[in-house]
Amino acid sequence: MTAALRFGPRILERAETLGAITERPGMVARSYLTPQHREAGDHIRAWMREAGMEADYDALGNVVGRYPGSRPGAPAILTGSHMDSVIDAGKYDGLFGILAPIACVEELHRAGRRLPFPIEVIAFGDEEGVRFGTSMMGSKALTGKLDASTFAIRDAAGVPLGDALRAFGGDPEAVPSLKRDPKHVRVFVETHIEQGPVLLDEGFAVGVVTAIAGSTRVRVALRGEEGHAGTVPMALRHDALTAAAEMVLEVERHCRASAGRLVGTVGKLAVAAGGAINVIPGRVEFTIDVRSGDDAARRAAAGAIEATCRAIAGARGVAIEWNLLQEMAAAQCDAAERAALARAIEAHGLPVRHLPSGAGHDTMQFAGLAPIAMMFVRCGNGGVSHSPRETLSAEDADIATEVLLRYLEELA
């Protein structure tokens, strides 16, 4: 069966090539402005050029390929995803959304065809935010949302982003010029593995995304009172860790009670200096991530969780610092583009499943600048992602790419 597939096997082969490019042997780890970013970008640029595109790095280290259209001045179709990864990642998150449109353009070029509009495929250098702690820098730059102060942010080694970008060959001063003019963008569309189990569990190969959830991210710092584990009576303790534990459970309780409108996660929790078995913890830090497709519900939940956490801190005699790290609005996918994706799926003889995205994606940065659209493709292993257990079949990669090509052709 695989031999009859037009796109899937080659896409997976290229994903394997990129997955082998890593900062940490034995796992996929590829962060922004590293030699591995350059190596992966060079492969992607070469594949874009082989597909008939003009392609190169931009001032922020994104790789941009452009396949001119037949109608001068027509607004472009923008598509793509990110080439960076989390630590110990899978091989398809982000990369599929780069490789699938390259395959579409390659097929058009092979057939000697040009659509009326240009197609731009963008491999964003940073979406995950692993190195500098701020996510989606690549897509923020193209939508004019990247603040100049971002270039002063330092990585764990103390290297400022601006210095790292110059060493890479980029130019912080030129980044504002990357902002796209809305008149020149017809739509931004992204293809992505689902990173969840819905399509897999329900037997759908692909799905149309309705909206991308907004998020509130917070770092909470607690200061209690250290003490000897054997000599301080329970009633007299100001234990920062037990206060944190109660707060963590409050995040879970509040989001579980939302009838599916919210998800909440505490992804990091650390006791200062690592803690000791015989010391009452005096300082603890943890993070909170609350997400929803409903911004009002998310903001209300974040406020309610903060109020409860402050009450817990007060009752336990623990000082609390509540530091907002990021607030990102939900993005609604354009109704007409959703319908166009649905028609492309139906034309392939498949049923249509509409579903929201709980994960953030580069697409959401383009909301307000142009219509946005997104298609999910099924991933295996229970839908696991951000993990070496992440899987994608050649058959599903092929279906999603065929659907994307049909969608592009319908827009023409």
Side-chain angles (χ1 to χ4, degrees):
M1 178 179 180
T2 301
L5 302 180
R6 185 157 59 151
F7 301 117
R10 191 169 190 194
I11 287 173
L12 264 58
E13 179 183 325
R14 287 177 167 178
E16 287 291 327
T17 296
L18 296 175
I21 302 170
T22 178
E23 301 157 38
R24 304 188 184 192
M27 67 174 69
V28 176
R30 192 172 47 255
S31 55
Y32 183 47
L33 302 179
T34 59
Q36 291 73 28
H37 172 181
R38 172 69 66 181
E39 186 178 354
D42 285 353
H43 277 287
I44 290 167
R45 180 176 61 178
W47 294 332
M48 288 176 171
R49 290 175 175 176
E50 288 173 16
M53 287 182 265
E54 305 155 359
D56 215 336
Y57 292 90
D58 68 13
L60 197 66
N62 303 314
V63 178
V64 182
R66 183 178 176 90
Y67 188 66
S70 61
R71 189 194 315 154
I77 306 299
L78 270 55
T79 184
S81 195
H82 62 97
M83 58 176 152
D84 66 327
S85 78
V86 296
I87 303 301
D88 203 15
K91 298 173 183 175
Y92 309 106
D93 173 22
L95 296 181
F96 179 73
I98 300 166
L99 299 175
I102 289 175
C104 291
V105 172
E106 191 169 35
E107 177 62 18
L108 292 171
H109 184 62
R110 183 197 63 76
R113 296 179 58 201
R114 292 195 183 274
L115 302 183
F117 43 76
I119 301 171
E120 287 195 24
V121 182
I122 306 164
F124 295 109
D126 172 88
E127 191 258 12
E128 300 290 4
V130 170
R131 182 175 178 187
F132 291 96
T134 181
S135 61
M136 303 188 193
M137 284 193 282
S139 48
K140 284 177 180 175
L142 269 65
T143 54
K145 299 175 185 176
L146 189 64
D147 193 280
S149 64
T150 306
F151 294 109
I153 295 174
R154 296 174 180 266
D155 65 10
V159 178
L161 170 58
D163 291 356
L165 182 56
R166 291 184 189 93
F168 187 83
D171 182 0
E173 286 70 35
V175 168
S177 68
L178 299 180
K179 181 183 177 182
R180 300 307 176 91
D181 185 333
K183 297 193 298 292
H184 298 154
V185 181
R186 164 68 179 78
V187 65
F188 185 90
V189 58
E190 182 174 4
T191 54
H192 205 284
I193 60 170
E194 184 195 348
Q195 298 182 284
V198 174
L199 297 176
L200 180 67
D201 288 352
E202 297 183 10
F204 293 87
V206 293
V208 178
V209 176
T210 56
I212 304 170
S215 65
T216 300
R217 292 181 178 180
V218 178
R219 182 190 299 116
V220 182
L222 303 178
R223 176 71 187 187
E225 188 174 308
E226 294 178 346
H228 195 290
T231 61
V232 181
M234 298 301 291
L236 300 180
R237 297 185 178 202
H238 302 288
D239 187 327
L241 183 55
T242 55
E246 192 173 348
M247 295 173 191
V248 170
L249 291 175
E250 168 58 22
V251 174
E252 181 184 57
R253 184 204 64 77
H254 190 97
C255 294
R256 275 191 170 181
S258 71
R261 290 186 303 155
L262 300 162
V263 291
T265 305
V266 173
K268 291 184 177 181
L269 189 151
V271 178
I277 195 168
N278 60 346
V279 176
I280 299 165
R283 288 182 294 140
V284 171
E285 285 194 2
F286 65 95
T287 59
I288 299 173
D289 182 322
V290 177
R291 303 190 187 200
S292 176
D294 182 334
D295 284 333
R298 173 180 52 80
R299 286 192 291 265
I305 291 169
E306 179 182 0
T308 303
C309 288
R310 290 190 181 280
I312 292 168
R316 289 180 171 274
V318 171
I320 181 171
E321 292 180 13
W322 189 271
N323 302 298
L324 181 64
L325 299 177
Q326 176 178 290
E327 189 146 30
M328 193 175 293
Q332 302 296 318
C333 292
D334 184 81
E337 302 305 328
R338 286 167 49 190
L341 279 172
R343 288 193 297 272
I345 293 170
E346 289 171 336
H348 203 69
L350 296 172
V352 179
R353 175 67 158 91
H354 295 269
L355 71 167
S357 172
H361 300 283
D362 287 302
T363 295
M364 65 196 307
Q365 295 300 327
F366 287 85
L369 182 138
I372 62 171
M374 191 163 195
M375 179 175 61
F376 276 161
V377 59
R378 170 173 57 192
C379 44
N381 272 350
V384 69
S385 180
H386 280 187
S387 162
R389 293 175 53 234
E390 182 179 278
T391 62
L392 173 66
S393 73
E395 290 79 9
D396 286 348
D398 198 79
I399 289 169
T401 307
E402 293 278 8
V403 169
L404 178 62
L405 180 57
R406 188 178 290 270
Y407 163 82
L408 293 172
E409 291 171 332
E410 180 176 307
L411 292 182

